[in-house]
């Protein structure tokens, strides 16, 4: 697998820190995602919020005002419903307004949702606010990996895109900290302060985006080659006429023209042929990321720990969030050191083992030792997720699609993530809670998540291609040449799309390998003719 260091390759022209800095700043949008999803788990367990928003229901265990399982399900899951539609709309925002401006407009939708939640004193207004906030988060969650993938140097793209997941974990952690600080307040500040803090995250992102460049690949897609050169020049810190920059742009443009010559990029086309296979991979990957069950902890963890009579449930939630933040860092390093396939595969194995143990231990929470063991294995499980499936799902989906369809495909893969997110958020109270009509699985729900992780491991083996170290254009070559995922590890790119472009459009019905061979023969003939001409001249 080779040794990996965070040092720019010798053949990479210019500087890479600007592109890294840009990608890392844009990753800050993950704080919106993580914080917004993280606050609700604590808010629905706050005594004052339960008293304020109760419609008359009383918790039989405590005798205090509360909300029903169906109301909890609606309040928590409506965010995911909004994010689903927001993710689908991200293709329009990203292709029409651009990656950068699309992100800015997305934040204004998010701010509308935060305003409604902050002002709410009844469930309907609170639910409406969560929907609009979710719509904004859905837009952001698809556009950020898109922007990062199209801007980052190939040798460190995995770390940059993975940093988006790290920002999500930081958002979840900050939400747990703020919730823990306000949950005992006996006024509306108990829930309004955690919600209103989100204004700051959004304003920081909007301000920074005003100064960032549009991605060069988006300019190429829109036929603005001169602006693409200026954008890439800002990201690489070289002149627009530098040979390396001219070569990189020419390859991006030639690849885009090659892909467009094979067909259009309508939504229907995304489901056909090679592109359809990639879309299926991306949708299943994002869906299975949710079926690992990690958001069960971050959505319902505080409430679940309370029901299981664990000491200091809010502190336990903070601990799980610390593990989530710290655990993501090895994944950011490992994604470029070990690759995508091995981390996803062994991450699934690690999660399923921890979940089955947690389920078995959770059935016997009668002693302090069993409580500690239960929390310990949940934390280890979160570590496995944070270092593998958390960041790498975003990395893979951000790099496997061609430029012509990237925004559309990413919108659908991200929507798949949020669709399963919604299903889990909606179904969990009915699966876990006691009471009439509920499954009352309690800790046994970890058997369900563990079984899903078995599916995750099988899926990785058969469908995840190794894309470590490849440019986005070389990923297209990978999918064109390698028929099965488990043979992708040894792939070495050989195609120059500029040479393929010179073959002519009449040859485009041939396979990429045939066209490469034809381009090679043409190049050889030209070289021979030049040598013969030189001999005659002498």
């Amino acid at each position: 697998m080779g040794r990996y260091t965070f040092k720019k390759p010798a053949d990479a022209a210019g500087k890479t820190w600007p592109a890294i800095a840009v990608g890392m700043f844009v990753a800050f949008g993950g704080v919106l995602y993580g914080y917004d999803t993280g606050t609700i788990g604590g808010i629905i367990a706050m005594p004052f919020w339960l008293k304020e928003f109760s419609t008359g229901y009383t918790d039989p265990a405590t005798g205090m005002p509360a909300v029903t399982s169906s109301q909890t399900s609606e309040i928590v899951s409506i965010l995911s419903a909004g994010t689903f539609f927001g993710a689908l709309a991200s293709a329009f925002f990203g292709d029409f307004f651009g990656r950068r401006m699309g992100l800015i407009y997305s934040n204004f939708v998010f701010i509308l949702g935060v305003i409604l939640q902050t002002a709410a004193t009844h469930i309907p207004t609170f639910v409406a606010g969560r929907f609009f906030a979710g719509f904004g988060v859905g837009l952001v969650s698809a556009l950020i990996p898109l922007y990062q993938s199209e801007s980052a140097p190939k040798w460190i793209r995995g770390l940059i895109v993975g940093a988006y997941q790290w920002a999500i974990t930081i958002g979840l952690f900050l939400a747990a900290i703020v919730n823990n600080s306000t949950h005992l307040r006996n006024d509306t500040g108990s829930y309004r302060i955690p919600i209103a803090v989100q204004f700051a995250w959004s304003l920081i992102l909007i301000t920074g985006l005003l100064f960032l460049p549009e991605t060069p690949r988006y300019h190429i897609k829109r036929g603005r080659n001169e602006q693409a050169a200026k954008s890439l020049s800002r990201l690489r810190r070289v002149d627009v006429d530098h040979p390396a920059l001219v070569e990189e742009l020419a390859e991006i443009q030639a690849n885009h023209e090659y892909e467009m010559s094979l067909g259009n990029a309508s939504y229907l086309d995304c489901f056909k042929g090679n592109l359809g296979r990639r879309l299926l991979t991306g949708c299943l990957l994002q869906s299975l990321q949710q079926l690992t069950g990690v958001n069960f902890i971050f959505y319902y963890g505080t409430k679940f720990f309370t029901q299981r009579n664990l000491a200091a449930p809010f502190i336990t939630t903070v601990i799980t969030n610390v593990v989530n933040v710290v655990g993501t860092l090895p994944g950011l390093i490992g994604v470029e050191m070990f690759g995508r396939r091995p981390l996803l595969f062994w991450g699934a194995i690690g999660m399923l083992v921890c979940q089955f143990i947690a389920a078995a231990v959770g059935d016997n929470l009668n002693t302090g030792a069993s409580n500690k063991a239960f929390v310990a294995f949940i934390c280890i499980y979160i570590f496995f997720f944070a270092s593998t499936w958390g960041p790498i799902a975003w990395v893979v989906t951000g790099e496997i699609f061609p430029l012509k369809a990237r925004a559309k495909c990413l919108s659908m893969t991200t929507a798949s993530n949020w669709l399963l997110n919604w299903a889990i958020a909606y179904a969990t109270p009915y699966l876990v809670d006691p009471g009439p009509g509920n499954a009352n699985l309690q800790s046994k729900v970890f058997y369900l998540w563990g079984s899903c992780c078995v599916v995750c491991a099988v899926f990785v083996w058969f469908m995840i291609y190794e894309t470590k170290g490849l440019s986005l254009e070389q990923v297209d070559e990978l999918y064109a040449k390698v028929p099965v995922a488990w043979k992708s590890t040894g792939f070495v790119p050989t195609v120059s799309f500029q040479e393929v472009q010179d073959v002519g459009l009449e040859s485009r019905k041939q396979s990429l390998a045939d066209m490469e061979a034809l381009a090679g023969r043409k190049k050889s003939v030209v070289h021979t003719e030049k040598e013969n001409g030189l001999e005659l001249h002498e």
Side-chain angles (χ1 to χ4, degrees):
M1 60 186 67
R3 187 167 174 236
Y4 178 80
T5 60
F6 293 101
K7 186 176 180 181
K8 186 184 73 171
D11 59 347
K15 301 182 184 299
T16 51
W17 69 261
I20 294 172
V22 167
M24 290 297 189
F25 175 79
V26 172
F28 181 81
V31 173
L32 270 70
Y33 175 168
Y35 188 92
D36 197 44
T37 56
T39 51
I40 195 62
I43 287 173
I44 60 175
M46 292 179 180
F48 186 86
W49 184 89
L50 290 169
K51 175 184 172 184
E52 183 81 359
F53 286 84
S54 176
T55 54
Y57 174 75
T58 301
D59 186 344
T62 63
M64 301 296 290
V67 293
T68 65
S69 292
S70 62
Q71 289 172 329
T72 301
S73 176
E74 177 190 16
I75 290 166
V76 175
S77 67
I78 194 66
L79 178 95
S80 301
T83 54
F84 172 76
F85 292 108
L88 288 178
S90 68
F92 169 77
F93 273 67
D95 280 343
F96 186 80
F97 298 115
R99 291 23 172 169
R100 185 179 70 95
M101 291 305 300
L103 277 169
I104 290 174
Y105 295 145
S106 301
N107 274 271
F108 288 118
V109 178
F110 176 77
I111 287 172
L112 171 61
V114 174
I115 291 172
L116 290 173
Q117 288 180 82
T118 305
T121 56
H122 300 89
I123 288 178
T125 308
F126 195 81
V127 167
R130 282 184 60 75
F131 177 83
F132 282 107
F135 195 92
V137 169
L139 290 166
V140 167
S141 65
L143 291 173
I144 286 176
L146 177 61
Y147 186 100
Q148 291 174 310
S149 296
E150 292 188 351
S151 302
K154 65 180 181 181
W155 62 275
I156 202 169
R157 185 179 62 241
L159 185 149
I160 291 175
V161 180
Y164 172 55
Q165 175 66 22
W166 190 41
I168 293 173
T169 68
I170 291 172
L172 287 163
F173 172 68
L174 292 173
I177 292 293
V178 177
N179 281 343
N180 187 58
S181 301
T182 67
H183 76 281
L184 294 178
R185 290 177 63 114
N186 194 33
D187 56 30
T188 59
S190 60
Y191 67 90
R192 281 179 170 160
I193 291 173
I195 293 170
V197 165
Q198 296 174 101
F199 286 116
W201 315 141
S202 197
L203 291 174
I204 290 170
L205 188 59
I206 290 172
T207 302
L209 285 166
L210 293 174
F211 299 96
L212 298 187
E214 181 56 85
T215 73
R217 285 177 171 86
Y218 176 72
H219 285 310
I220 289 289
K221 179 180 173 67
R222 304 297 288 184
R224 302 193 290 251
N225 295 351
E226 185 177 340
Q227 290 173 270
K230 291 179 180 178
S231 174
L232 193 59
S233 175
R234 284 185 64 185
L235 292 169
R236 302 289 187 268
R237 286 298 190 268
V238 295
D239 294 334
V240 292
D241 56 355
H242 190 283
L245 186 145
V246 173
E247 175 70 18
E248 184 175 354
L249 274 180
E251 187 68 6
I252 294 171
Q253 185 173 0
N255 170 260
H256 180 55
E257 291 177 0
Y258 166 77
E259 290 290 342
M260 291 302 296
S261 73
L262 298 179
N264 296 321
S266 67
Y267 275 101
L268 184 60
D269 292 314
C270 292
F271 292 89
K272 297 178 180 178
N274 183 290
L275 185 53
R277 177 159 57 107
R278 298 194 225 182
L279 180 61
L280 178 63
T281 299
C283 288
L284 288 176
L285 177 62
Q286 290 283 18
S287 299
L288 288 170
Q289 188 207 47
Q290 289 298 314
L291 288 173
T292 61
V294 73
N295 277 329
F296 164 67
I297 299 298
F298 297 123
Y299 281 162
Y300 294 103
T302 306
K303 181 181 178 182
F304 178 72
F305 297 144
T306 302
Q307 290 174 339
R308 303 302 294 163
N309 297 317
L310 292 176
F314 277 87
I315 297 297
T316 304
T317 301
V318 172
I319 292 171
T320 60
N321 278 280
V322 170
V323 173
N324 197 26
V325 173
V326 175
T328 304
L329 293 173
L332 299 184
I333 299 170
V335 70
E336 297 297 356
M337 183 179 291
F338 303 111
R340 284 62 163 157
R341 270 176 65 85
L343 285 187
L344 287 172
F345 180 80
W346 291 110
I349 298 298
M351 284 189 290
L352 72 88
V353 171
C354 291
Q355 286 167 326
F356 285 146
I357 294 174
V361 172
D363 283 338
N364 300 285
L365 290 180
N366 299 319
T367 66
S370 62
N371 285 347
K372 291 176 182 177
F374 180 68
V375 173
F377 277 103
I378 286 178
C379 288
I380 298 171
Y381 146 62
I382 291 172
F383 181 88
F384 272 111
F385 173 85
S387 59
T388 58
W389 279 75
I392 298 174
W394 297 106
V395 172
V396 171
T397 53
E399 63 192 10
I400 63 174
F401 302 114
L403 178 58
K404 67 176 182 180
R406 189 169 294 137
K408 291 185 177 69
C409 290
L410 263 176
S411 75
M412 288 185 279
T413 59
T414 308
S416 301
N417 180 294
W418 287 113
L419 181 63
L420 267 295
N421 188 300
W422 168 81
I424 291 169
Y426 184 82
T428 293
Y430 300 106
L431 289 172
V432 177
D433 291 352
N438 295 338
N440 194 24
L441 291 178
Q442 299 186 39
S443 298
K444 293 185 180 69
V445 75
F446 287 101
Y447 286 123
L448 174 62
W449 309 136
S451 300
C452 290
C453 286
V454 175
V455 178
C456 290
V458 175
F459 164 78
V460 171
W461 179 260
F462 285 102
M463 295 198 71
I464 294 297
Y465 280 68
E466 184 53 69
T467 52
K468 178 173 77 78
L470 301 179
S471 70
L472 297 182
E473 290 67 42
Q474 289 167 342
V475 172
D476 291 335
E477 180 186 352
L478 167 69
Y479 272 92
K481 286 185 173 180
V482 180
V484 289
W486 58 89
K487 293 184 178 180
S488 63
T489 307
F491 171 75
V492 177
T494 57
V495 167
S496 165
F497 282 97
Q498 296 175 69
E499 293 175 1
V500 168
Q501 186 182 40
D502 293 338
V503 170
L505 293 175
E506 66 276 3
S507 303
R508 294 294 166 89
K509 293 183 179 181
Q510 301 180 40
S511 69
L512 183 59
D514 291 337
M515 293 176 64
E516 180 186 12
L518 183 59
R521 288 195 296 271
K522 181 177 178 180
K523 185 178 180 180
S524 178
V525 169
V526 171
H527 180 70
T528 302
E529 288 176 348
K530 285 183 177 179
E531 285 186 341
N532 292 337
L534 182 61
E535 290 175 0
L536 290 173
H537 179 71
E538 292 176 346

